[in-house]
Amino acid sequence: RKQYRLFVVASLLVLSTHEFVSILFLWSGALLLLYHWRTRRETFDDLVPKRYSETVFLLGAVFLVLAEISNRVLTPSHGSILDWLGVSAIGALGPGTPPFSGLFTADSLRVVYWLLLLAPLLFLPLWEWRVALPVVPWIGITALSSNPAFYNIYFQYAAFAIPSLFFAAIWAFFAAAEAQDQL
């Protein structure tokens, strides 16, 4: 419907839910801006105008900075979001844990996690992988994390991947239907 004000309000509400959302917004905005730059088009498939892409990127950057500041002020023991993400993703097993230790533990649980996210969608997001690119930061976090909550569908963290996977599945479904119609 191209209601920019409503889009900004919804984005602000989403960004206020969790610190990681700002990272996903920043990544998604960067992908969209890269698309606009490479194709020199003002919209992404007549769906996302360049103005919205810029807004997603800027809101992600602003909220990441605000989250950093508020974490340092309100929870000094927590430190930084990026520090916390680094600790969670690179070795939360304690002092002296080798970097990327999460990569070598519980590999089957990570595979099961992604199978459980993709199977109900008939793996359609893999067909339209370019539309599912906003999931990439979360794939990285689940691949490196030594925190099992990050790769367990029974925790809220799966919500970082599910919307993009559903969107990619819907996109793939309509692309397949369009291809079928052309035959």
Side-chain angles (χ1 to χ4, degrees), residues 2-3 8 18 32-33 50 61 75 86 91 119 137 143 153 180:
K2 299 181 182 175
Q3 296 179 3
V8 171
H18 198 280
L32 287 166
L33 288 174
K50 187 176 182 182
T75 55
I153 63 164
Q180 183 70 23

Side-chain angles (χ1 to χ4, degrees), residues 24 113-114 132-145 161 165:
L24 298 176
Y113 172 79
W114 285 102
L133 281 176
V135 176
V136 167
W138 197 247
I139 292 171
I141 290 169
T142 59
L144 299 175
S145 180
L165 293 177

Side-chain angles (χ1 to χ4, degrees), residues 43-86:
T43 62
F44 172 72
D45 288 341
D46 293 327
L47 189 63
V48 182
K50 187 176 182 182
R51 177 181 181 193
Y52 286 53
S53 303
E54 294 166 345
T55 303
V56 167
F57 182 79
L58 289 174
L59 285 175
V62 167
F63 265 77
L64 184 60
V65 169
L66 289 174
E68 277 291 303
I69 292 169
S70 64
N71 259 356
R72 290 178 189 260
V73 171
L74 299 174
T75 55
S77 63
H78 201 266
S80 158
I81 291 171
L82 301 176
D83 289 345
W84 184 81
L85 180 61

